[in-house]
Amino acid sequence: MKISLFVTCLGELFYQEAAKDMVEVLERLGCNIDFPRGQICCGQPAYNSGYRKDAQKAAKQMISAFESSEYIVTPSGSCAGMFKEYPGLFQDDSTWHEKAQKVADKTYEFTQFIVNVLDVEDLGAVYHAKATYHTSCHMMRLLKETESPFKLLNNVEGLELLPLENSYDCCGFGGTFAVKMLPISEQMVDEKVRHVEETGADVLITADGGCLMNIKGRIDREGKPIAVKHIAQILNSRS
Amino acid sequence: MAMKIGEKPFFDRVDDALDDTFMHQSMANAQDGLRGKKIAATEGDEAIGDWEDWRSAGEEIRRHTLENLDYYLEQLSENFAKRGGHVFFAETAEEANAYIQQVAKEKNAKNATKSKSMVTEEIGLNEALADVGCQVHETDLAEYILQAEEGDRPSHIVVPSLHKNKSQIRDTLKEKAGYSGTDQPEELTAFARSQLRDVFMNADIGITGCNFGVAETGTVSLVTNEGNANMVTSYPETQISVMGMERLVPTWEDLDVMVNLLSRSAVGQKITTYVTNVTPEVGLQSVDGPKDFHLVIVDGGRSKALGTEFQSALHCIRCAACVNVCPVYRHIGGHAYGSIYQGPIGAVLSPILGGYEEYGELPYASSLCAACTEACPVKIPLHEQLIRHRQIYVEEGYADKSEQAAMTAFGIGASTPSLFKIATKGAPTFAKPFVHEGSISNGPGPMKLWTKIREFPAPGKENFRKWFKEHKKGDS
């Protein structure tokens, strides 16, 4: 199967290991991956802050980069969710609206693609740890994807998956919200970290770069002994 | 006082809220409790069937009503007037208050009882009536408590005194109302009850809000748990109901759907204790019920939302389901919003009714997690409307200049691959002076706020594009 990798700006700048793991997992599943070189950022920082025109610029760039792709797969529920917003961003422009719709329709988050398109639930991964999973809001509520990560994680040998209290509550990232509303975001991430700690997990797993950056940033600042990993890192693990 | 709560700037109000550890904890506990009850009464209750079908039915009723608002308003007011009631359409809070003041003056009213109503809070009716010598007595228990503490305002749409604990309530009643008992809820309630009994008996006017006006019969429908609306509507000879112009349903069948959605979404009750339905009965020689009944229908800025992307915000039935799941409200409580409408719906409605100058910051007080949209029983796309508000805020030039410049730069960067390539290549070198042990603790420029409380990741040393290219070469 031919797929195009949308690695996301966070993936490209900060989380290359996770991106590589994703590539390796998908290749093992028989995917022929290409990397459209025109890709940059989905535009969510501008879109969510109210800068529609600047978001449109980013969106046009991405639509052009991916319009000839068969499938678009990304290691971020939130960025996949942003692709789904593209048609709405070009409501007044029928040409771009149509292109945007096509791109939106063929976009999948990484675990969603594996489970729902490739119909695979066991990747033969081995990872010995007590872990808990952070369900990112955009993946849950914009993509309506709640099951795929769990289906895959439940088949990881050696992984003990612990339930996370109030998992439905946002971690306080929200893009620019994390700095614009700093005191509120701080309370939100602190509560999230507290719940993670209460599980007794050694590892927090998530399928979203934004949440990862936020929660890991706080955990590391507080010096807590909890590792934060992207789900691709766990699913590509063999030990 | 009206819709606005407090004079302090937004972040000062947030700081106040975060300093109030009791309030902070209380909001979180209340959310957890209400959320559990709501799920049990909606998704978890077999008797009601598929909750999503109910939501769709609710959305359809509200959309149909709002799309035909002029028709149903006319039907409601005709039916209300036909039975001897008086209808007054008020474009502004001032007009509504002036009309109600006039009624009070004509009746020479000194005391009025009121059953909790957001819209009378919104227009500042208590103060307006005090100006003409008529004291308004709040009769909902929570509102009674807030009124005792002068200047206190609702912090939640459905549970207005959520920010106060038992001992604070005891102290307030001791100081202001001559209470001498303990902080046991039963004892506090019994005291309020005994005080309110006299108030009910001596009221010249009864004032209520209106959960739903039923157009087909001209009925005001009120949903309460304390029965105080029944006392307010059955004792005084004169009744005034104040409703937001969108708060109506076409038929009784529709009312049935809406009351189910409201009580289950608000507090997880299958049905509320009282659904009080009052229709004018002038000349029908009814033994109870008002002899003189006024319905004041308030626009108050609502019509600005008609025909816009915000029209569906007027579908709101004030259940606070969005408030009860909002992680921002959870931490800052209601007063920090500076409006009597709090949480996500408050952040959407307040700028519509009160303008961006006053409430423009509220749409940013959301991480756009969309929990509100998911919870709304009438499917208002709340998080999308928050984004829409932000767009207007930016387009109308309210946004910070440095943010505007940053976003312009973002737009250029995100649409120029060559620039992005340079940035990704250069990032590790640029960041190097700030990186310690793999992350940045004290970032420069725009990173500064982030690193105030969190580590910022150091840019990865390996260039992914390069890696991928070489990786693919290995394939062939």
Side-chain angles (χ1 to χ4, degrees):
Chain A
M1 191 174 285
K2 229 177 125 22
I3 66 165
S4 294
L5 180 66
F6 161 33
V7 74
T8 81
C9 55
L10 291 183
E12 195 159 356
L13 276 166
F14 306 115
Y15 304 119
Q16 294 108 337
E17 290 306 318
K20 284 187 219 165
D21 285 320
M22 171 173 153
V23 169
E24 287 173 9
V25 168
L26 290 171
E27 281 177 344
R28 262 206 311 282
L29 293 171
C31 296
N32 181 11
I33 305 175
D34 72 58
F35 182 87
R37 303 196 73 79
Q39 66 179 283
I40 302 177
C41 166
C42 66
Q44 199 179 75
Y47 180 70
N48 281 357
S49 302
Y51 294 81
R52 199 179 161 86
K53 287 199 181 104
D54 300 311
Q56 279 172 341
K57 280 186 199 164
K60 280 186 178 176
Q61 179 66 31
M62 293 303 249
I63 292 167
S64 306
F66 286 99
E67 61 186 339
S68 59
S69 302
E70 205 172 315
Y71 289 100
I72 302 160
V73 184
T74 178
S76 161
S78 188
C79 304
M82 185 61 215
F83 270 32
K84 306 280 182 194
E85 301 287 337
Y86 282 179
L89 201 48
F90 294 106
Q91 256 165 354
D92 309 328
D93 183 335
S94 60
T95 313
W96 279 100
H97 179 84
E98 200 182 318
K99 288 182 185 196
Q101 191 63 55
K102 282 185 184 156
V103 164
D105 291 344
K106 57 192 178 185
T107 297
Y108 295 86
E109 180 275 333
F110 170 59
T111 63
Q112 183 180 46
F113 182 75
I114 295 173
V115 173
N116 297 341
V117 181
L118 300 179
D119 200 20
V120 173
E121 291 186 14
D122 190 346
L123 297 168
V126 184
Y127 192 90
H128 290 276
K130 280 200 287 185
T132 192
Y133 179 77
H134 168 69
T135 48
S136 93
C137 303
H138 284 176
M139 186 142 152
M140 244 192 314
R141 303 198 180 98
L142 300 188
L143 285 191
K144 311 263 180 235
E145 182 51 73
T146 51
E147 291 180 357
S148 295
F150 290 104
K151 284 181 177 164
L152 295 170
L153 289 175
N154 283 336
N155 284 315
V156 175
E157 194 186 318
L159 191 73
E160 188 190 343
L161 206 58
L162 304 158
L164 180 63
E165 183 86 11
N166 285 21
S167 59
Y168 46 80
D169 270 339
C170 172
C171 72
F173 177 59
T176 50
F177 173 85
V179 290
K180 212 168 166 140
M181 294 282 154
L182 185 70
I184 308 172
S185 173
E186 181 180 9
Q187 297 294 324
M188 288 160 72
V189 72
D190 276 352
E191 185 172 7
K192 186 59 74 184
V193 171
R194 195 163 64 244
H195 287 314
V196 171
E197 272 188 297
E198 283 163 5
T199 65
D202 307 311
V203 184
L204 173 69
I205 304 166
T206 181
D208 222 304
C211 313
L212 192 153
M213 188 162 105
N214 183 43
I215 307 175
K216 182 173 165 43
R218 187 62 177 163
I219 281 178
D220 289 353
R221 172 60 58 88
E222 299 275 290
K224 313 252 185 216
I226 300 165
V228 186
K229 302 268 183 198
H230 188 276
I231 193 164
Q233 296 175 281
I234 308 296
L235 296 178
N236 194 34
S237 192
R238 283 288 178 276
S239 57
Chain B
M1 248 192 300
M3 193 165 105
K4 197 176 169 198
I5 290 183
E7 291 298 328
K8 288 184 179 180
F10 178 71
F11 279 105
D12 289 352
R13 298 196 302 263
V14 168
D15 285 345
D16 287 350
L18 296 178
D19 287 343
D20 187 346
T21 46
F22 162 76
M23 187 281 299
H24 192 168
Q25 194 53 49
S26 165
M27 295 292 163
N29 290 344
Q31 275 200 339
D32 292 342
L34 288 167
R35 186 176 186 277
K37 283 187 194 159
K38 186 206 165 185
I39 289 173
T42 54
E43 291 134 66
D45 182 15
E46 280 177 21
I48 195 165
D50 189 341
W51 180 245
E52 285 309 305
D53 290 346
W54 280 86
R55 287 181 78 205
S56 300
E59 181 193 24
E60 188 46 43
I61 292 167
R62 294 303 288 144
R63 179 183 296 142
H64 172 80
T65 308
L66 265 300
E67 279 173 0
N68 300 282
L69 190 60
D70 48 354
Y71 174 81
Y72 288 115
L73 278 172
E74 199 176 319
Q75 194 185 14
L76 175 77
S77 60
E78 266 179 19
N79 283 328
F80 193 87
K82 219 184 326 187
R83 297 175 64 105
H86 306 283
V87 180
F88 180 73
F89 282 91
E91 203 179 318
T92 61
E94 291 73 25
E95 283 179 26
N97 286 334
Y99 177 82
I100 298 165
Q101 282 174 326
Q102 192 54 38
V103 174
K105 278 196 262 182
E106 278 166 20
K107 306 286 170 185
N108 195 25
K110 299 284 168 246
N111 289 292
T113 44
K114 195 172 101 184
S115 176
K116 185 188 172 303
S117 135
M118 296 299 290
V119 68
T120 58
E121 195 76 34
E122 176 189 318
I123 64 176
L125 180 62
N126 291 10
E127 292 77 14
L129 279 176
D131 289 346
V132 293
C134 179
Q135 199 196 342
V136 179
H137 304 270
E138 298 283 354
T139 64
D140 169 275
L141 181 59
E143 291 285 341
Y144 167 80
I145 293 164
L146 293 186
Q147 191 173 40
E149 175 85 61
E150 240 164 276
D152 203 353
R153 306 291 306 277
S155 61
H156 186 278
I157 294 170
V158 177
V159 196
S161 63
L162 192 58
H163 56 288
K164 295 177 91 79
N165 67 13
K166 289 181 292 185
S167 55
Q168 286 168 331
I169 293 167
R170 179 200 58 205
D171 293 346
T172 300
L173 294 184
K174 265 188 179 169
E175 202 182 314
K176 310 280 181 183
Y179 177 65
S180 57
T182 70
D183 65 358
Q184 287 300 305
E186 294 80 3
E187 212 178 321
L188 288 164
T189 309
F191 173 77
R193 204 183 279 260
S194 68
Q195 297 278 304
L196 284 169
R197 203 159 283 151
D198 285 340
V199 168
F200 283 127
M201 302 293 286
N202 293 313
D204 306 307
I205 297 181
I207 300 170
T208 74
C210 173
N211 283 95
F212 301 102
V214 186
E216 68 174 346
T217 50
T219 302
V220 170
S221 184
L222 301 157
V223 175
T224 70
N225 265 324
E226 296 165 21
N228 53 318
N230 294 38
M231 304 298 284
V232 168
T233 58
S234 54
Y235 266 100
E237 299 223 320
T238 303
Q239 187 187 336
I240 303 168
S241 289
V242 189
M243 67 180 273
M245 65 183 239
E246 79 286 14
R247 302 299 298 277
L248 74 175
V249 288
T251 67
W252 283 76
E253 280 77 16
D254 298 330
L255 178 69
D256 176 26
V257 176
M258 299 326 292
V259 171
N260 258 291
L261 287 169
L262 175 59
S263 48
R264 287 174 191 262
S265 302
V267 281
Q269 280 177 289
K270 290 181 183 177
I271 185 75
T272 186
T273 316
Y274 298 87
V275 180
T276 308
N277 297 299
V278 201
T279 315
E281 297 186 53
V282 177
L284 299 180
Q285 290 167 353
S286 144
V287 287
D288 57 7
K291 300 284 176 280
D292 187 19
F293 195 172
H294 300 258
L295 178 62
V296 180
I297 301 173
V298 181
D299 180 329
R302 287 162 175 76
S303 56
K304 282 186 278 182
L306 292 174
T308 74
E309 284 149 299
F310 296 114
Q311 181 165 304
S312 67
L314 301 181
H315 294 181
C316 176
I317 57 172
R318 308 286 189 266
C319 69
C322 62
V323 181
N324 294 341
V325 296
C326 176
V328 170
Y329 177 88
R330 180 181 184 84
H331 291 289
I332 65 174
H335 287 167
Y337 288 83
S339 162
I340 58 151
Y341 299 114
Q342 310 95 8
I345 187 63
V348 169
L349 272 182
S350 307
I352 296 172
L353 303 181
Y356 289 98
E357 199 73 57
E358 193 74 68
Y359 299 108
E361 280 159 318
L362 294 189
Y364 290 93
S366 164
S367 63
L368 303 177
C369 74
C372 46
T373 303
E374 186 182 59
C376 179
V378 291
K379 296 192 182 176
I380 304 170
L382 287 158
H383 76 282
E384 288 172 19
Q385 296 194 343
L386 291 171
I387 295 175
R388 186 70 195 121
H389 268 315
R390 295 178 187 190
Q391 288 169 357
I392 297 170
Y393 190 80
V394 168
E395 280 157 19
E396 294 191 357
Y398 289 104
D400 186 65
K401 293 282 172 281
S402 64
E403 183 188 90
Q404 287 181 33
M407 287 300 172
T408 305
F410 171 86
I412 296 166
S415 55
T416 318
S418 56
L419 272 178
F420 186 65
K421 207 171 157 186
I422 295 167
T424 43
K425 263 190 180 169
T429 318
F430 173 76
K432 207 175 170 191
F434 305 98
V435 177
H436 299 285
E437 294 176 13
S439 67
I440 299 169
S441 302
N442 191 6
M447 241 189 269
K448 219 174 188 64
L449 275 172
W450 178 277
T451 56
K452 215 169 157 185
I453 67 154
R454 318 169 186 91
E455 296 294 298
F456 192 83
K461 288 195 182 70
E462 192 162 29
N463 187 300
F464 181 81
R465 288 174 190 233
K466 213 170 135 197
W467 173 84
F468 189 82
K469 206 172 175 181
E470 278 156 20
H471 173 78
K472 284 298 266 189
K473 261 189 214 156
D475 273 359
S476 50

